Amino acid sequence: MTRVDCALTINSNLCDKFSVKHYPMLLWGPPKKFVGSGWDPKQENSEIRSIENGRTADILLGWINKQLGSSYGFDDGKYENEHLQKNFSDPAQIATAIYDVEEATSTAFGIILDHKMIRSGTRASLIKFLQLLVAHHPSKRCRKGSADILVDFDNLCPSEILSVNNEEADSCSKKGALGNYQICGKEVPRGYWMYCRGSKNDTRGFSCGLWVLLHSLSIRVEDGESNMAFRTTCDFIHNFFICEECRQHFYDMCSSVPNPFKKARDYALWLWRAHNKVNERLKKDEASLGTGDPEFPKVIWPSKQLCPSCYLNPGEKSKENSKIEWNEDEVFKFLVSYYGKELVNLYKEKELQAVGGTEKTVNEELVASTNAVVVPLGAALAIAVASCAFGALACFWRSQQKNRKYKYLHSLKNI
């Protein structure tokens, strides 16, 4: 079951496709039928039906019980926490997060432009983060979009015109030429969250999507890139995350790292520990303020259900204030699988494909999620090439302080 608000512009095409002319309008049918060409009320023998007499909860529940041969009542609590348990214990849930990673990337870029955050002191930080996205973002279209911006960045945001004065940074804002660039393609942002959707409008969403992005980057970098990726991430959050308290807390965690990272494993585990520290802090804050999401409480992650081998004592019941003993080798294996293979398990790039004479888009693939695909060999090779290019890019930018044109980055557009 899903709810669609046809008053939102983003849903206009969908609502037109299903001939929604009034509110409320209730449609009933097999999920796969909602992937097709739409629904016409004049169409005969359609498996999608309009529920005409279902305007009250009692009538609607009675109608559903009749269709299913069931006897559900409003006091049934059997499935109350089904979504919560599924989300915590089913590794396949992360597959839908690829769309949220794209959404978070686009949202972050939009925030930077909206708040005119590209200035002389933050420009280099953004360039380095775009380099990281070009090389290691799990989404092909975000890698390409980041490369497009990076190629033209010197022309769009010349360093000589930037200053702390907002007016002088207009060329690098949403109103300037940079605002015409779509970092993850023309269909992103979509305006909604999937894996990161909270049960309340002000919970999860962007912060969840950003964490998934950072974890997915951390397990894709090579050993030689680990410390650069760490510093790049810390600088990006410090310069561009709009929550002052969150930004300072993250900066403090970054500052507490005594030595440079030499292995990607160490960086990935540091980010995992940092995420758990944030969850612990927010859990206390949410408990005192009553601002938490009741369906998605902050917990130490991963849970024993999700990764029993990550715990040295998985059979022992947790006690309050007791310190968890982690098997960090298993935690790292879990992170690599969860944010690597699992994250892209159901993901297909936005391209039209001829399937049985019909054109299939990414949104259709999203609904028909039983058609799992794997990352093609070409994509894996491209990521490897991009990984090598990342190190070269860093050297190039350091050596070209005055006149950086990034022309060779055109080759990255096909990543």
Side-chain angles (χ1 to χ4, degrees), residues 247-291:
R247 186 167 63 222
Q248 186 59 46
H249 188 260
F250 198 87
Y251 179 77
D252 290 342
M253 291 191 295
C254 291
S255 301
S256 67
V257 176
N259 300 309
F261 290 112
K262 295 182 179 180
K263 293 186 176 295
R265 174 187 181 277
D266 296 335
Y267 170 48
L269 288 174
W270 174 86
L271 188 65
W272 159 72
R273 285 190 292 267
H275 195 170
N276 272 333
K277 287 180 181 178
V278 171
N279 277 350
E280 282 188 289
R281 181 174 64 88
L282 292 180
K283 183 179 181 180
K284 295 176 182 177
D285 292 345
E286 291 174 353
S288 61
L289 298 173
T291 56

Side-chain angles (χ1 to χ4, degrees), residues 106 141-142 144-146 181-189 350:
S106 180
R141 56 182 150 217
C142 293
K144 182 181 183 303
S146 299
Y181 284 73
Q182 295 160 317
I183 195 168
C184 288
K186 63 182 180 179
E187 298 211 359
V188 184
K350 174 70 176 71

Side-chain angles (χ1 to χ4, degrees), residues 93-112:
Q93 285 294 302
I94 192 65
T96 59
I98 188 67
Y99 300 97
D100 289 354
V101 170
E102 292 179 333
E103 193 78 6
T105 304
S106 180
T107 300
F109 187 59
I111 290 172
I112 291 170

Side-chain angles (χ1 to χ4, degrees), residues 54-320:
R55 304 300 176 86
T56 70
D58 289 315
I59 294 175
L60 179 59
L61 183 59
W63 191 92
I64 292 174
N65 278 331
K66 185 177 180 180
Q67 305 306 309
L68 299 178
S70 56
S71 57
Y72 293 115
F74 290 113
D75 57 347
D76 290 342
K78 180 177 179 181
Y79 301 102
E80 187 178 30
N81 293 317
E82 183 181 47
H83 176 66
L84 173 65
Q85 294 304 317
K86 183 178 181 182
N87 212 7
F88 280 168
S89 61
D90 183 4
Q93 285 294 302
I94 192 65
T96 59
I98 188 67
Y99 300 97
D100 289 354
V101 170
E102 292 179 333
E103 193 78 6
T105 304
S106 180
T107 300
F109 187 59
I111 290 172
I112 291 170
L113 298 185
D114 285 339
H115 292 264
K116 299 182 180 180
M117 302 172 81
I118 306 175
R119 299 174 182 171
S120 57
T122 63
R123 184 177 182 273
S125 174
L126 181 59
I127 288 174
K128 290 178 181 178
F129 194 72
L130 287 171
Q131 291 174 350
L132 188 61
L133 298 186
V134 169
H136 297 300
H137 199 291
S139 163
K140 177 181 178 179
R141 56 182 150 217
C142 293
R143 293 196 298 274
K144 182 181 183 303
S146 299
D148 289 341
I149 296 170
L150 208 49
V151 165
D152 299 327
F153 198 81
D154 260 355
N155 294 327
L156 297 168
C157 295
S159 58
E160 57 269 19
I161 73 163
L162 291 177
S163 73
V164 294
N165 189 319
N166 282 338
E167 293 181 1
E168 294 183 3
D170 278 347
S171 62
C172 302
S173 70
K174 204 161 195 174
K175 295 179 181 179
L178 194 57
N180 297 324
Y181 284 73
Q182 295 160 317
I183 195 168
C184 288
K186 63 182 180 179
E187 298 211 359
V188 184
R190 303 175 182 88
Y192 58 85
W193 304 95
M194 298 183 60
Y195 173 83
C196 289
R197 181 185 301 155
S199 64
K200 301 194 297 185
N201 289 335
D202 57 348
T203 59
R204 306 190 81 216
F206 175 59
S207 60
C208 167
L210 187 59
W211 272 116
V212 179
L213 169 62
L214 297 182
H215 284 299
S216 67
L217 293 172
S218 75
I219 60 96
R220 284 172 168 79
V221 299
E222 301 294 334
D223 286 347
E225 305 168 304
S226 58
N227 199 63
M228 182 184 294
F230 164 67
R231 296 278 20 134
T232 297
T233 299
C234 290
D235 289 344
F236 179 80
I237 297 297
H238 184 63
N239 288 318
F240 299 112
F241 200 70
I242 57 176
C243 169
E244 177 65 34
E245 183 181 357
C246 310
R247 186 167 63 222
Q248 186 59 46
H249 188 260
F250 198 87
Y251 179 77
D252 290 342
M253 291 191 295
C254 291
S255 301
S256 67
V257 176
N259 300 309
F261 290 112
K262 295 182 179 180
K263 293 186 176 295
R265 174 187 181 277
D266 296 335
Y267 170 48
L269 288 174
W270 174 86
L271 188 65
W272 159 72
R273 285 190 292 267
H275 195 170
N276 272 333
K277 287 180 181 178
V278 171
N279 277 350
E280 282 188 289
R281 181 174 64 88
L282 292 180
K283 183 179 181 180
K284 295 176 182 177
D285 292 345
E286 291 174 353
S288 61
L289 298 173
T291 56
D293 191 321
E295 293 192 24
F296 297 93
K298 294 290 187 295
V299 296
I300 297 300
W301 190 89
S303 65
K304 290 183 180 180
Q305 296 95 324
L306 196 57
C307 182
S309 62
C310 293
Y311 291 75
L312 290 176
N313 49 353
E316 183 178 313
K317 290 186 177 181
S318 299
K319 297 179 182 179
E320 193 172 353

